[in-house]
Amino acid sequence: MQIRNYITSVALLGMSAVLMTGCSDDDKWQPGPDTDPNNMSVYFEELSTYNLVVEPDDSRLIPVTVGRSKVGEAATVDLDVVECPEGVVIPQTIAFGANDQTTTFYIDLENMPSKSFGNISINLPEELTSPYGAGTTNLSFKVTISGAWIPVSTDVKLTCSPYADMTTSLYYLDGTNNFKLPDFFGSGLDFVFTMDTPGNGWTYIQPIKNYYDATLAYPDLGWGAYPYDAGWFLFDDANDEWPWWCPDGVTYPEIDMLEFEKAYAYMTLKGDDGKGWIYLSAYAYMSDGSGKYIDLNYSFTPEFTPYEN
């Protein structure tokens, strides 16, 4: 798809620009300390900090990959577990086989109770790492074990001209701030999102699954004040592809891509009239090469309200 190729090209150009701006003519620059040439330079391949929500059907074994820049003989490495919730099992050591550049261990969350959360922080031994190595020497994240998906409303009405009205459901993931609109706008994808400020009142919302961050698509534009210069595209995470569909199966041309603006993505679970609503404004790239703005208006009467002001 041409638009996807454009996004990828722009992202690469933006990355090059960032790398180039790292140069400096400062004559006060001094080289960093030398490192032991025998140092394996071990590192975590994962992001250094993130949030992990484990849903009811998700595996409770979390894989973590550790790499080493200097590959050689078999070796064992101690893990320094700085923080760990009760019930979580993390191995004390990991092992590299001869000539193996990576090894994988598992964080076992099996004994964490439902609707609980905690922080995990693991360091690699300083004497086996390098400040010039790949990845990161610390892995830290918040883990939440959710409860079940609970229906907030099973009779949500979606109005979006020029398409026919649709009926859907809204679910809340117990023990989290996450919500789900299944088969979002007839795309076949679940729109899973979180509230910026949990509660019944008005709040911005942010997707956490099936989306592609617009800052990756347009890294050269220079984003401004949050949330007015932020957004995302609807994206099929499981199949790593853009969805392509006709929302009501009748009105053509089909939607090739759907881009949302953060500033126009908000909801309330229960207003003064007892009703809840979700509003999303998006720009649709159509299969015939045209484009148009569409507004998705969801309204519902909550059967269950997760929060009370």
Side-chain angles (χ1 to χ4, degrees), residues 42-306:
V42 292
Y43 57 88
F44 290 112
E45 289 191 342
E46 281 78 5
L47 295 173
S48 59
T49 303
Y50 59 95
N51 293 325
L52 174 67
V53 176
V54 181
E55 297 183 14
D57 295 331
D58 291 344
S59 172
R60 296 299 194 265
L61 294 176
I62 309 303
V64 178
T65 300
V66 179
R68 58 177 177 174
S69 299
K70 184 177 177 59
V71 178
E73 60 187 23
T76 59
V77 175
D78 293 332
L79 296 178
D80 177 16
V81 180
V82 180
E83 193 170 4
C84 179
E86 184 176 354
V88 174
V89 178
I90 300 174
Q92 295 182 334
T93 61
I94 58 175
F96 288 93
N99 298 317
D100 285 348
Q101 185 168 6
T102 63
T103 186
T104 299
F105 70 92
Y106 292 85
I107 298 175
D108 188 347
L109 308 177
E110 189 65 37
N111 293 322
M112 275 192 74
S114 177
K115 295 191 290 184
S116 67
F117 62 89
N119 296 313
I120 291 175
S121 179
I122 309 170
N123 289 333
L124 293 170
E126 184 176 356
E127 66 274 13
L128 298 180
T129 64
S130 168
Y132 315 113
T136 176
T137 60
N138 169 264
L139 179 70
S140 60
F141 60 94
K142 177 182 177 181
V143 59
T144 300
I145 305 296
S146 77
W149 283 106
I150 299 174
V152 175
S153 175
T154 56
D155 191 19
V156 180
K157 182 179 180 181
L158 167 62
T159 57
C160 178
S161 178
Y163 304 103
D165 292 352
M166 305 177 196
T167 301
T168 185
S169 302
L170 176 66
Y171 291 88
Y172 162 70
L173 189 59
D174 199 10
T176 73
N177 297 329
N178 299 345
F179 293 80
K180 175 174 68 176
L181 287 164
D183 189 19
F184 178 66
F185 196 29
S187 66
L189 302 176
D190 291 343
F191 179 55
V192 184
F193 61 93
T194 189
M195 308 171 76
D196 275 15
T197 51
N200 295 347
W202 181 96
T203 177
Y204 288 112
I205 62 178
Q206 174 67 36
I208 56 176
K209 286 186 178 180
N210 290 325
Y211 78 101
Y212 186 93
D213 197 322
T215 58
L216 299 177
Y218 309 125
D220 59 338
L221 294 185
W223 298 97
Y226 170 90
Y228 298 102
D229 283 335
W232 67 88
F233 293 85
L234 187 66
F235 189 75
D236 186 346
D237 289 344
N239 296 304
D240 192 29
E241 63 184 17
W242 304 104
W244 185 76
W245 82 104
C246 176
D248 59 8
V250 177
T251 307
Y252 292 90
E254 296 89 348
I255 295 176
D256 274 351
M257 296 178 68
L258 200 58
E259 181 180 8
F260 296 90
E261 293 183 69
K262 173 76 173 190
Y264 300 101
Y266 37 81
M267 70 174 291
T268 187
L269 283 170
K270 184 184 291 185
D272 294 338
D273 58 357
K275 301 285 186 179
W277 47 264
I278 299 172
Y279 174 77
L280 297 164
S281 180
Y283 187 79
Y285 299 85
M286 311 304 292
S287 59
D288 65 352
S290 65
K292 62 181 178 181
Y293 282 98
I294 58 176
D295 296 325
L296 284 72
N297 291 279
Y298 293 88
S299 60
F300 55 92
T301 300
E303 303 165 9
F304 162 77
T305 304

